[in-house]
Amino acid sequence: MSTWLMKSEPDVYSWTQLVKDKRTPWNGVRNYQANNNMKAMKIGDEAFFYHSNEERAIVGIMKIVKTWYPDPDDETGRFGMVDVAPVRALPKPLPLADVKKDARLKNMAFVRQGRLSVSPVTKEEWSRIVK
């Protein structure tokens, strides 16, 4: 099983909305690297749900429930999406500032490539954040 981090602006799509919906397509990704990360996802993989912009915090864990398929809103046919479902909220949001302060997390793709909306998370990073 691989682990990931996926970003969303909470005013566009929030953790609360995902919990309410129970499942959603993760669409609108238009970055090749993020798209390739989604192509690598398998059913059962887990991902952190990160609120970008104002909150800037990891707020929950979700699972991949459908692998990559074409995004019907992409007129170029190059980009796709996966479907996700909520697993559980974190006991308290983990702010980006706290992630950056932790020496064991400083090399996360999420930290190094701050504008990347979908990034891999190592097993060690995952374990550290879940703690």
Side-chain angles (χ1 to χ4, degrees):
M1 178 180 82
S2 296
T3 50
W4 309 91
L5 183 138
M6 301 170 81
K7 296 179 180 181
S8 180
E9 297 173 13
D11 61 330
V12 174
Y13 195 81
S14 68
W15 171 257
T16 302
Q17 189 64 49
L18 176 60
V19 170
K20 181 179 175 185
D21 293 345
K22 296 182 175 58
R23 177 182 178 142
T24 196
W26 201 268
N27 58 4
V29 173
R30 297 295 182 266
N31 172 283
Y32 287 104
Q33 188 175 0
N35 187 60
N36 286 338
N37 286 336
M38 289 197 308
K39 281 183 177 181
M41 292 176 175
K42 306 285 185 233
I43 292 175
D45 283 359
E46 290 187 324
F48 289 121
F49 191 116
Y50 177 81
H51 278 167
S52 58
N53 285 349
E54 292 177 20
E55 188 174 2
R56 294 183 174 189
I58 300 170
V59 296
I61 296 172
M62 53 191 179
K63 65 182 171 181
I64 309 308
V65 295
K66 184 175 181 181
T67 57
W68 190 95
Y69 59 101
D71 185 335
D73 293 331
D74 172 32
E75 295 176 7
T76 70
R78 295 181 185 130
F79 298 100
M81 54 193 182
V82 297
D83 286 4
V84 297
V87 173
R88 68 182 180 277
L90 293 186
K92 66 177 190 169
L94 178 61
L96 174 59
D98 290 354
V99 172
K100 288 181 173 183
K101 287 179 194 173
D102 189 322
R104 291 176 275 189
L105 300 175
K106 69 179 179 181
N107 290 320
M108 284 184 76
F110 158 67
V111 173
R112 289 182 291 110
Q113 296 176 282
R115 299 187 56 77
L116 189 61
S117 64
V118 178
S119 59
V121 176
T122 68
K123 299 293 182 208
E124 295 79 18
E125 294 162 348
W126 185 272
S127 296
R128 178 75 179 147
I129 291 170
V130 169
K131 284 183 180 179

